[in-house]
Amino acid sequence: MALLPFLILALITGVLLNASALRNFGWSFWSFSYNFLPQTPDQSSWGIGVFVLGTALTAGLAIVFATLLSLALAVSVVVYLPSGPSRVLNMLTNLLAGIPSVVYGIWGFVILAPYFGITVEPTLRSFLFWLPGFGGPASAIGSWGILLAVFLLTIMIIPLTTALMRSALQSVPRDLVDSAVALGATRWEVARRVRFRVARRGLSSAVLLGLGRALGESVAVAMVIGGVTSLPVSLYSASTSLPSFIFFQLDSAFTYPDLLVLLVEFALVLLIITMVVNIIAQRLTQTELATATTVGTLVGREGELER
Amino acid sequence: MTAGAEGLGEEAPALTYASVSGRTRRRLIFDRFIPWLLPLAFVVVLFPLFDMIFWVAQKAVPTFTLATLTETQVGFGGGLYSMILGTLVLIAIGTAIATGIGMAAGFYTAEYAPRPVATFGRLAGNILAGVPAIVLGYFGYYLLVLYTNWGFTTLAGGIVLGIFMTPYVYRTTDLALTSVPPTQREAALAMGARPRQYLLRIAFPIALPTVLTGIFFAMALGLGEAAPIVYTAGWSSTPITGLMQPTSFLTGAIWLFYDLPPSEGTLLTLAFQAAFLLILIVLGLNVIVQLLSDRFRRRLQGLFE
């Protein structure tokens, strides 16, 4: 009985592995060339490279921004703000966690995309053109692209990473903090030199769990990334990612057997990546706080639930 | 900024910016500066939240009437009735499955399983919670739509949604039971209770609010998720008639109508109304969870006093 979750996990992996054996895509599966020709399927190329690159770019950039922002949020709540404002801000970030990803998606597509195209991207281009990725041309199909996906992913994972980081920083033993204060450290020094160091495993685990969430997000990304399978030339380019591509291709998977198996392979790759990320995150923390804190996020008392 | 301290009878000099210099002064100024800098991150994060709710409400509310809830979408008109109904059926199946599997597994993990097995089960539960929803959806599509030859069915959607929700119910059940104070068990056993009596009469009532919290949380997640059901429940514009038929659902309405051209604007409005409704439902569940957890806290405090 206690192994039911494991059995479900094994069933999922087994079914996908079994299905992936239906067709061998050869070594070109690991290439960057993807070109599906519905009329002549034999001449199609099935490279996964573009999708992995798109996934890595969107999730990677999102986790960088989310880490910086949620570290700032967690430190302000744990160290600086009085309990009243902290509680309100926690409640609001929890609210952010509860909003469905399709809602993020439609907001990004209808409201944000025009704003990004008219204001944000030209501004970034004129100021940051010297940074690789920021100087390139605009997306050919409107303002949907990597940048917008990164923005949405960043906001979507911040509630999770903030909650995890908050509880990691709060779990630092009181004695250590008091000793640092007694030695004359300012609050910032206590945060940086004591809390960050003692909680570094918890903080890294928070980053990894956020990364896992960003890697697997399909709907919101599918709605704003553009779904173009050519190599991106800049951050403004439309692109694609593993989960969003699977989500996009429902009808095609129904029609073309080759594509059906290709999507199984994609799902397997995605499953393995997220599993590895999650296992590392679990190993980093002795307290098993992954789902606990996700629940605690909504309840607003993750520190208590862990024990 | 003063950090005055009582010396031995005589007043220690107050620590001010003027009284110190060099590195110490820089440290103190920096420490005053940071509290204004860090909370700026809240502006960055909360602005999108308000912007999103504002825009969704603005697009949805002016045309939101009772008919939106009671009529079925036909062509460019109608409302969300069939989607609301479909979502309710899907979430009911999902909750039933997740509660059954999750609570059973949670009970065994917390109370009966040997320690290595329990650790392994918890690890598997956490990994299952990290499996992307779209992978679950595609797994369900392959197994329950194609392999079984069912085609798109509400049942398949509900089952996959149940698998998606299971780890949250499982881990909260486990946590709720393991966090029951050990004194309760000692007291119960000392008074001659059997382990089963302890579990059902003592531990379970204490754990129940947390378990319910987990269930409601899983429901909120399941309601807002489109990836597992788009691939399994399919889509049907008529209200659901049976479990082996495809159905429509709220998140699917958003996914189908979000990129329609302005000429079909009424459907885009319908998508925003679905989004608005989802936000309202999730908010409602949020409030329930909050109330439950407050109650739980009070009950636990009562136990410790």
Side-chain angles (χ1 to χ4, degrees), chain B:
Chain B
M1 150 129 192
T2 55
E6 291 288 325
L8 284 171
E10 79 189 73
E11 187 87 1
L15 196 61
T16 63
Y17 290 135
S19 70
V20 292
S21 62
R23 182 155 174 267
T24 311
R25 186 171 177 183
R26 279 200 302 276
R27 284 172 57 213
L28 289 181
I29 292 175
F30 192 62
D31 192 51
R32 291 294 279 176
F33 178 59
I34 285 274
W36 296 100
L37 191 68
L38 289 182
L40 276 183
F42 276 110
V43 180
V44 179
V45 176
L46 295 183
F47 178 73
L49 174 70
F50 291 123
D51 193 65
M52 187 174 350
I53 294 178
F54 171 76
W55 276 108
V56 170
Q58 170 148 14
K59 298 253 179 192
V61 171
T63 49
F64 204 99
T65 57
L66 196 62
T68 314
L69 298 176
T70 55
E71 283 180 14
T72 302
Q73 174 243 334
V74 182
F76 292 136
L80 298 167
Y81 176 68
S82 67
M83 299 143 199
I84 296 171
L85 197 65
T87 300
L88 287 181
V89 174
L90 284 169
I91 207 75
I93 303 175
T95 311
I97 293 176
T99 312
I101 302 181
M103 278 181 61
F107 256 92
Y108 271 79
T109 307
E111 294 294 329
Y112 296 113
R115 203 175 163 78
V117 178
T119 311
F120 188 67
R122 285 168 189 147
L123 180 70
N126 285 342
I127 294 174
L128 190 60
V131 171
I134 186 68
V135 173
L136 291 181
Y138 204 71
F139 152 79
Y141 173 66
Y142 192 82
L143 187 69
L144 299 172
V145 175
L146 299 182
Y147 186 76
T148 55
N149 244 332
W150 289 354
F152 293 111
T153 57
T154 311
L155 184 62
I159 293 176
V160 176
L161 205 58
I163 295 179
F164 173 78
M165 291 158 66
T166 297
Y168 300 97
V169 181
Y170 165 64
R171 291 296 283 122
T172 9
T173 309
D174 176 30
L175 274 163
L177 285 174
T178 41
S179 62
V180 171
T183 45
Q184 295 291 313
R185 179 200 296 272
E186 287 156 16
L189 296 185
M191 293 173 83
R194 293 170 184 282
R196 174 168 303 191
Q197 282 176 323
Y198 158 73
L199 193 60
L200 292 181
R201 302 255 184 94
I202 312 286
F204 188 64
I206 297 175
L208 190 62
T210 313
V211 176
L212 284 178
T213 305
I215 294 174
F216 281 120
F217 178 75
M219 283 170 73
L221 280 184
L223 275 170
E225 200 54 71
I229 33 183
V230 162
Y231 255 106
T232 45
W235 186 262
S236 142
S237 42
T238 50
I240 177 174
T241 49
L243 286 188
M244 298 312 278
Q245 256 86 51
T247 183
S248 46
F249 41 92
L250 284 169
T251 47
I254 305 175
W255 166 246
L256 277 183
F257 304 145
Y258 81 102
D259 59 348
L260 292 176
S263 58
E264 298 169 19
T266 46
L267 287 184
L268 184 64
T269 309
L270 208 59
F272 271 106
Q273 286 168 341
F276 183 65
L277 200 59
L278 278 173
I279 293 182
L280 283 188
I281 296 173
V282 169
L283 272 181
L285 283 173
N286 233 316
V287 171
I288 294 178
V289 164
Q290 203 67 53
L291 291 178
L292 272 176
S293 84
D294 284 351
R295 196 174 152 194
F296 171 62
R297 195 177 316 182
R298 239 176 286 134
R299 199 187 279 208
L300 257 192
Q301 271 167 1
L303 274 184
F304 283 120
E305 272 160 12

Side-chain angles (χ1 to χ4, degrees), chain A residues 1-6 8-9 11-13 15-16 18-19 22 68-69 71-77 80-81 89-107 109-112 151 155 158 183-189 193 212-213 215-219 222-224 242-251 253-255 259-264 267-268 270-271 274-275 278-279 282-283 288-292 294-295 297-301 304-307, chain B residues 23 27-28 30-32 34-35 38-42 44-53 55-56 59 100-101 104-106 108-109 113 117-136 138-139 141-143 145-146 151-152 163 166-168 170-172 174-176 178-179 210 213-214 216-217 220-221 223-228 230-231 251-252 254-255 257-260 268 271-272 274-276 278-279 282-283 285-286 289-290 293-294 296-297:
Chain A
M1 279 293 224
L3 293 177
L4 276 174
F6 172 73
I8 296 176
L9 211 53
L11 180 69
I12 295 168
T13 322
V15 165
L16 289 179
N18 192 28
L22 286 178
L68 295 174
L69 283 171
L71 205 54
L73 298 185
V75 172
S76 6
V77 166
Y80 288 105
L81 295 177
L89 291 171
N90 284 345
M91 210 185 69
L92 288 171
T93 36
N94 293 344
L95 189 60
L96 204 58
I99 290 183
S101 51
V102 267
V103 178
Y104 280 95
I106 194 173
W107 174 66
F109 185 88
V110 177
I111 312 290
L112 279 187
F151 182 78
I155 321 173
I158 276 180
L183 287 171
T186 62
R187 285 174 298 179
W188 171 246
E189 286 162 349
R193 288 163 196 254
R213 180 69 60 89
L215 285 170
E217 177 52 47
S218 52
V219 192
M223 285 160 104
V224 299
L242 284 171
S244 71
F245 184 72
I246 302 176
F247 196 71
F248 257 131
Q249 296 298 318
L250 169 62
D251 300 332
F254 213 51
T255 323
L259 205 58
L260 177 76
V261 186
L262 186 77
L263 294 185
V264 170
L268 255 183
L270 191 61
L271 178 66
T274 46
M275 266 190 187
N278 271 292
I279 292 175
Q282 298 295 323
R283 294 297 298 273
E288 299 138 357
L289 45 73
T291 39
T294 323
V295 175
T297 302
L298 214 80
V299 186
R301 46 185 204 85
E304 295 163 49
L305 257 182
E306 274 153 42
R307 272 173 242 132
Chain B
R23 182 155 174 267
R27 284 172 57 213
L28 289 181
F30 192 62
D31 192 51
R32 291 294 279 176
I34 285 274
L38 289 182
L40 276 183
F42 276 110
V44 179
V45 176
L46 295 183
F47 178 73
L49 174 70
F50 291 123
D51 193 65
M52 187 174 350
I53 294 178
W55 276 108
V56 170
K59 298 253 179 192
I101 302 181
Y108 271 79
T109 307
V117 178
T119 311
F120 188 67
R122 285 168 189 147
L123 180 70
N126 285 342
I127 294 174
L128 190 60
V131 171
I134 186 68
V135 173
L136 291 181
Y138 204 71
F139 152 79
Y141 173 66
Y142 192 82
L143 187 69
V145 175
L146 299 182
F152 293 111
I163 295 179
T166 297
Y168 300 97
Y170 165 64
R171 291 296 283 122
T172 9
D174 176 30
L175 274 163
T178 41
S179 62
T210 313
T213 305
F216 281 120
F217 178 75
L221 280 184
L223 275 170
E225 200 54 71
V230 162
Y231 255 106
T251 47
I254 305 175
W255 166 246
F257 304 145
Y258 81 102
D259 59 348
L260 292 176
L268 184 64
F272 271 106
F276 183 65
L278 278 173
I279 293 182
V282 169
L283 272 181
L285 283 173
N286 233 316
V289 164
Q290 203 67 53
S293 84
D294 284 351
F296 171 62
R297 195 177 316 182

Side-chain angles (χ1 to χ4, degrees), chain A residues 225-254:
Chain A
I225 202 167
V228 171
T229 53
S230 52
L231 278 175
V233 289
S234 74
L235 286 182
Y236 315 118
S237 306
S239 181
T240 184
S241 72
L242 284 171
S244 71
F245 184 72
I246 302 176
F247 196 71
F248 257 131
Q249 296 298 318
L250 169 62
D251 300 332
S252 321
F254 213 51

